[in-house]
Amino acid sequence: MTNTDLTALTGDYTIDPSHSTIGFTVRHAMVTNVKGKFDEFSGSLHLDGSDPSASTASIDVKMDSIDTGAPDRDGHLKSADFFKTDEFPTMTFRSTKAEALGDEDYRITGDLTILGTTKPLTIDLEFNGAAKDPFGNERVGFEGKAEIKRSEWGLTWNAALETGGVLVSDKIKLHFDISAIKNA
């Protein structure tokens, strides 16, 4: 998509959580991957098609909405061993820098706050396109990925395995499928 096309997309957008996913993958017991997602989040984007570096993103995630498909595991993740959701109910991301990398590829850097600890996070994004939906909403879509070490945010709970290694890896793969609606 050329800059001329992107210029038409300039504006403020609200993330549509019913058509978006904020998810993660983590290695479990050193042998398999467990996937999960957050069911409740909100966010906004400001897109600047003529100057993508002026674009911004802001996302708030309700940590109690974690869903790995196993209620017992979800309860453990909400507990003091992991996310302490009673004390820290929200995970936030606030962008600090946006870059156009060429073609449909972008990179957004910002501050990710988990458990009251804020660290930088860089997300590689692919612009999936723009369309007007059947209800007249102007939509944009992005797909993104990033990796973090959970220990950098104080998420250090683990259990040793008899065969060596640990129950939960430190590396977490984050993935995002974002659909956002242009504000009227």
Side-chain angles (χ1 to χ4, degrees):
M1 179 170 279
T2 67
N3 280 345
T4 305
D5 295 325
L6 286 177
T7 302
L9 300 179
T10 296
D12 294 314
Y13 292 76
T14 300
I15 294 174
D16 176 5
S18 64
H19 294 98
S20 300
T21 303
I22 296 177
F24 59 89
T25 303
V26 61
R27 178 90 50 186
H28 181 263
M30 307 296 291
V31 298
T32 191
N33 288 317
V34 169
K35 296 181 180 187
K37 61 187 175 78
F38 295 95
D39 292 329
E40 294 179 45
F41 53 89
S42 60
S44 60
L45 309 174
H46 171 75
L47 302 182
D48 189 324
S50 58
D51 180 9
S53 69
S55 297
T56 60
S58 175
I59 300 173
D60 296 315
V61 177
K62 290 187 179 179
M63 298 306 284
D64 264 342
S65 73
I66 194 165
D67 180 3
T68 64
D72 288 346
R73 178 173 47 224
D74 296 345
H76 189 206
L77 289 169
K78 294 174 191 180
S79 78
D81 284 343
F82 286 96
F83 291 122
K84 303 176 188 173
T85 60
D86 289 343
E87 187 179 349
F88 301 100
T90 307
M91 171 175 59
T92 63
F93 177 80
R94 301 290 182 265
S95 68
T96 56
K97 180 180 180 184
E99 304 169 79
L101 303 177
D103 294 328
E104 307 294 324
D105 297 325
Y106 297 86
R107 180 170 291 143
I108 192 157
T109 302
D111 294 326
L112 178 65
T113 303
I114 305 171
L115 294 175
T117 298
T118 302
K119 299 275 186 184
L121 173 68
T122 298
I123 304 168
D124 289 325
L125 295 168
E126 181 178 350
F127 176 63
N128 286 342
K132 187 170 276 200
D133 70 21
F135 308 102
N137 298 308
E138 291 183 53
R139 288 183 179 268
V140 293
F142 292 91
E143 187 174 347
K145 61 183 176 183
E147 286 187 6
I148 65 170
K149 289 189 176 191
R150 64 187 180 92
S151 59
E152 292 180 1
W153 280 267
L155 294 162
T156 57
W157 182 91
N158 227 324
L161 300 175
E162 283 184 30
T163 54
V166 291
L167 188 63
V168 183
S169 75
D170 192 30
K171 182 171 77 172
I172 309 292
K173 295 178 182 178
L174 304 174
H175 50 90
F176 311 90
D177 285 303
I178 301 296
S179 178
I181 299 171
K182 194 170 193 177
N183 298 346

